[in-house]
Amino acid sequence: MIATTSTTSATATTRLAPWRTFGFALITAAMFGLGASAFADTVHLKNGSKLEGKVKSESDAFVEIETAFGVQKLPRADVVKIERGVTAVEQLALDRKALQKDDVAGRVALWKRAGELKQKKARDELEREILALDPQQADVNRARGNVLFDGKFVTPAEKDRLERAAREADMLAQGLVPHEGGFVTPEEKAKLDAGFVKRGDRWLKEEEAKALDGLVKAQDGTWIKREDAAVATTRKSAESAIERTVSVAVRDHAAAFTDVSDAFAGKLADTMEKGFKRFAKEFALDEGLQWFGPQRVDLVVFRTRFDYERFCDWIGANTRAGTQWAERAKKVAGVYLFETWPLATTYVGNRGEDMAIAHCCNMLGHVLLNRYRFQNNGIPPFFDEAFAALTEFDLTGRNAFFNVGAGRYERHIEDKERAFFEDGKWMEPLRDGFRTRSDTPMDQVVRREHVTLSQMDVAKGMALYQYWRTLDPKRMKQFFDALRDAWPSGNPPPTQPSVFNACQKAFNVACSKDMQLVDEELRAWVMKKAD
């Protein structure tokens, strides 16, 4: 131990003042593990304080010591004595030199201490020495991320390889052969190599299996969902018809195509999606598309009537709809298809975007109801038009469009009554008609063709559906299930007695009473609701 003494003077006292705070500093350093564990020299000062660290240099004038707070330069005259020690790092090096050549446990202890002292080089060297003496030493292997397999430490990758090898040996012992990362029987491999795919107990060609999975082959040879392929087809059809690009918005059950704007496409698709989900819930259908085809319903809306008519011509020329259908479609404001291609198309024109969306809501109701359990059977116009109008009302809160009147499919509402429907107050004129019994009786209205239906007939059907909703959420589904089941073969017009009989049977099944009694109940409900 080396001690140095000097005479205290006023000047020395002045120089000593800055170091009087190091008593607290030394305590703090020790609290944070920065004291004796890393530094072993202690410098005792005349004011009774002491600094712990590593003395870097000494001279007659100064002593430099490295502490937890950096290198400090002390006046030699302020130092009473210096106690020399060995740092933890130096002690680690000394202990390594003292190790026996075969001392694994001693090296493991020093390896852990080197880690605590953050001496990476020493730790790595000790790690290599340990594994050279004992390749299966547990502490070092776990620190390296190795894992046990069959009683030995191996890398995770080596474990995976060994497990695969063991599994392969087991599969081969069972007579199986490898195929695309798995194992199959030799017979199965022959089928797979020939291009067959197994579905349950059946072996199918790839095209058949993909079709069962709802996939179709795209032009680039990849397999995509049938409904996604339909979107691409509709987009190409619309763009081919008007000779320019269209905006597309795709939702789970509906897709909108338009040359108006991206924002309009999104609004249209969102509204149609809402209508689709409402229908699926009311008719207890799953959220998928299987019951619908499966494919999305397409809404194609153009900015001008000219482009709408060009699209009708394209449909007539490229589908089984035919040119005569196209000529009829061009004479009206919008058309829909529901058999092989669920589609509704119209235009904005000077009607405005909201009117076009309302028109699409109306046509969506037609498409959904007619496609439900469709087997080349029809729905009387009274029920069909009322459901379409109710769909528009459900989605927009008003009715701006009716497919009735004068032998045409177009908007046709008397001016004096238009405001009631456009304000969503269609129940008011209906109530007046019930009060004066000027409404068409149910047993007559179900026989009417589209060309003889009035807007008040349609409002009566809307009220009937609303009434059923208040009685039983399942009532509408029950009625149309019964109507589909009772529908006569040959799809006769509504004026035929067989259609009336099917309607009467559907009322009896769903409501447990005939349509005349339902008519009276509906009248009472509307009058009470109005009051």
Side-chain angles (χ1 to χ4, degrees):
M1 184 177 295
I2 302 173
T4 305
T5 60
S6 64
T7 304
T8 303
S9 65
T11 302
T13 303
T14 302
R15 290 197 301 269
L16 182 62
W19 307 107
R20 289 175 179 167
T21 58
F22 271 93
F24 175 77
L26 290 172
I27 298 173
T28 305
M31 290 173 61
F32 284 92
L34 300 173
S37 62
F39 306 104
D41 296 339
T42 302
V43 177
H44 295 263
L45 302 176
K46 288 183 177 180
N47 68 349
S49 299
K50 59 182 179 179
L51 297 176
E52 292 184 349
K54 180 68 175 176
V55 174
K56 305 293 290 183
S57 66
E58 294 181 66
S59 68
D60 292 339
F62 296 99
V63 173
E64 285 190 341
I65 180 170
E66 182 179 1
T67 71
F69 300 98
V71 176
Q72 307 294 339
K73 191 173 183 181
L74 307 174
R76 185 74 185 202
D78 296 338
V79 176
V80 176
K81 64 178 180 178
I82 299 174
E83 293 179 347
R84 302 285 184 176
V86 179
T87 67
V89 174
E90 291 171 337
Q91 188 62 53
L92 175 68
L94 293 173
D95 291 343
R96 284 187 65 188
K97 289 180 180 179
L99 284 171
Q100 298 293 320
K101 290 184 178 181
D102 58 351
D103 187 353
V104 175
R107 284 174 169 80
V108 171
L110 294 182
W111 170 76
K112 292 179 179 179
R113 198 195 310 171
E116 293 171 356
L117 295 173
K118 297 185 174 22
Q119 298 299 302
K120 184 177 184 305
K121 181 180 178 182
R123 179 182 169 88
D124 290 345
E125 291 172 351
L126 285 163
E127 194 169 289
R128 288 192 291 272
E129 293 173 12
I130 292 167
L131 292 177
L133 294 170
D134 181 6
Q136 292 298 310
Q137 207 287 322
D139 294 324
V140 174
N141 272 283
R142 290 194 180 96
R144 285 192 161 199
N146 294 337
V147 292
L148 279 172
F149 178 78
D150 199 19
K152 293 184 179 180
F153 279 100
V154 295
T155 65
E158 181 68 4
K159 180 185 178 185
D160 291 342
R161 187 189 68 78
L162 292 170
E163 287 177 338
R164 287 195 301 270
R167 179 173 178 270
E168 182 175 351
D170 182 51
M171 295 294 104
L172 294 174
Q174 296 179 44
L176 302 179
V177 295
H179 179 78
E180 295 184 357
F183 288 87
V184 296
T185 65
E187 295 78 14
E188 289 174 330
K189 185 176 186 302
K191 283 284 190 182
L192 293 168
D193 289 343
F196 286 88
V197 178
K198 196 171 187 180
R199 288 290 184 272
D201 296 330
R202 300 170 57 200
W203 285 98
L204 305 172
K205 280 290 189 181
E206 182 185 32
E207 291 76 8
E208 297 175 295
K210 296 294 186 182
L212 286 178
D213 295 337
L215 303 177
V216 296
K217 185 172 284 190
Q219 291 183 347
D220 62 0
T222 60
W223 292 96
I224 61 176
K225 293 180 179 180
R226 183 183 292 113
E227 56 266 32
D228 292 337
V231 169
T233 299
T234 301
R235 179 176 194 163
K236 184 177 180 180
S237 302
E239 293 179 344
S240 298
I242 66 173
E243 300 177 323
R244 62 179 180 276
T245 60
V246 298
S247 297
V248 181
V250 180
R251 304 297 183 260
D252 290 341
H253 309 92
F257 308 80
T258 181
D259 63 338
V260 177
S261 68
D262 290 343
F264 178 73
K267 183 178 180 180
L268 178 61
D270 289 339
T271 305
M272 299 306 110
E273 180 73 9
K274 181 179 178 181
F276 195 109
K277 289 184 175 180
R278 186 183 185 108
F279 181 91
K281 182 178 180 180
E282 192 155 38
F283 281 73
L285 301 166
D286 61 67
E287 284 289 321
L289 284 165
Q290 289 301 319
W291 71 271
F292 198 65
Q295 66 185 88
R296 296 178 179 89
V297 58
D298 292 337
L299 293 308
V300 184
V301 180
F302 299 98
R303 182 178 294 279
T304 68
R305 185 182 183 96
F306 174 73
D307 285 332
Y308 158 75
E309 291 181 358
R310 288 207 290 175
F311 185 57
C312 291
D313 284 333
W314 190 96
I315 295 175
N318 293 276
T319 71
R320 67 179 188 179
T323 56
Q324 291 185 352
W325 174 90
E327 290 304 315
R328 291 195 302 270
K330 287 157 59 177
K331 294 178 181 179
V332 296
V335 290
Y336 61 89
L337 301 172
F338 64 84
E339 293 186 39
T340 56
W341 184 7
L343 165 76
T345 181
T346 184
Y347 64 96
V348 175
N350 58 9
R351 304 183 301 170
E353 294 179 4
D354 288 344
M355 172 66 81
I357 289 180
H359 194 166
C360 286
C361 291
N362 189 287
M363 292 190 288
L364 175 69
H366 285 294
V367 173
L368 291 172
L369 186 61
N370 282 275
R371 203 166 173 86
Y372 175 66
R373 291 190 57 191
F374 175 72
Q375 294 178 336
N376 293 318
N377 44 10
I379 295 175
F382 168 67
F383 297 111
D384 188 13
E385 295 296 342
F387 189 84
L390 185 62
T391 300
E392 180 187 351
F393 178 74
D394 286 341
L395 295 176
T396 67
R398 60 199 289 264
N399 287 97
F401 190 87
F402 282 87
N403 285 335
V404 298
R408 300 178 304 230
Y409 286 88
E410 61 183 12
R411 187 167 185 250
H412 188 81
I413 304 177
E414 297 296 332
D415 288 340
K416 63 181 180 180
E417 296 175 339
R418 178 179 297 133
F420 288 107
F421 291 94
E422 292 187 346
D423 291 341
K425 299 177 181 179
W426 51 269
M427 192 79 78
E428 293 184 23
L430 179 64
R431 176 202 59 198
D432 294 339
F434 277 173
R435 181 174 292 133
T436 60
R437 289 194 174 269
S438 59
D439 62 296
T440 306
M442 190 78 71
D443 58 357
Q444 295 180 28
V445 77
V446 298
R447 306 172 194 258
R448 288 191 165 180
E449 297 270 15
H450 281 100
V451 295
T452 56
L453 278 176
S454 71
Q455 59 267 30
M456 294 312 303
D457 293 338
V458 176
K460 183 171 185 174
M462 294 169 66
L464 176 64
Y465 295 145
Q466 291 280 48
Y467 174 50
W468 281 347
R469 283 174 173 172
T470 64
L471 293 177
D472 183 354
K474 300 177 182 178
R475 181 63 55 85
M476 201 179 310
K477 170 180 169 56
Q478 293 168 346
F479 176 81
F480 283 107
D481 283 343
L483 185 62
R484 287 299 198 196
D485 293 338
W487 195 257
S489 60
N491 200 15
T495 55
Q496 292 297 309
S498 57
V499 172
F500 177 83
N501 294 336
C503 293
Q504 189 70 276
K505 184 174 182 180
F507 274 106
N508 288 328
V509 171
C511 307
S512 301
K513 58 194 68 172
D514 62 28
M515 69 178 74
Q516 291 84 354
L517 288 176
V518 173
D519 199 2
E520 290 303 316
E521 288 183 352
L522 174 62
R523 185 184 308 277
W525 179 76
V526 170
M527 299 302 293
K528 182 178 180 180
K529 186 177 180 63
D531 294 338

